[in-house]
Amino acid sequence: MDKKLLEILVCPLCKGKLLLKKQELICKFDRLAFPIHDDIPVMLEHEARVISLEEKDEL
Ligand SMILES: [Zn+2]
């Protein structure tokens, strides 16, 4: 994924910074992982996956 794009992307909920991990963009604050399809981040809350506390601790 484009690093510059990553820099301007924020969480649609809290407007916070996102963490890129594998093929997902993660907001630690909301514990949501937004998928990236074909290099295009899907910044939609209903498309996001809720990450477990355990998973969050590993970030
Ligand atoms: Zn957030």
Side-chain angles (χ1 to χ4, degrees):
M1 212 186 114
D2 191 336
K3 279 238 170 84
K4 279 192 180 142
L5 181 61
L6 180 62
E7 278 170 21
I8 56 162
L9 278 174
V10 292
C11 170
L13 302 179
C14 69
K15 313 291 178 202
K17 269 196 142 194
L18 296 163
L19 246 149
L20 177 64
K21 200 179 181 192
K22 290 172 189 164
Q23 281 307 296
E24 291 178 319
L25 285 166
I26 296 166
C27 173
K28 281 178 102 168
F29 184 79
D30 295 307
R31 281 204 288 127
L32 288 173
F34 299 92
I36 301 169
H37 295 312
D38 297 326
D39 267 9
I40 299 162
V42 183
M43 306 311 291
L44 299 169
E45 190 184 354
H46 67 265
E47 295 280 335
R49 179 173 72 83
V50 177
I51 59 170
S52 65
L53 282 171
E54 229 172 43
E55 212 177 336
K56 186 195 163 203
D57 286 344
E58 285 167 14
L59 293 168

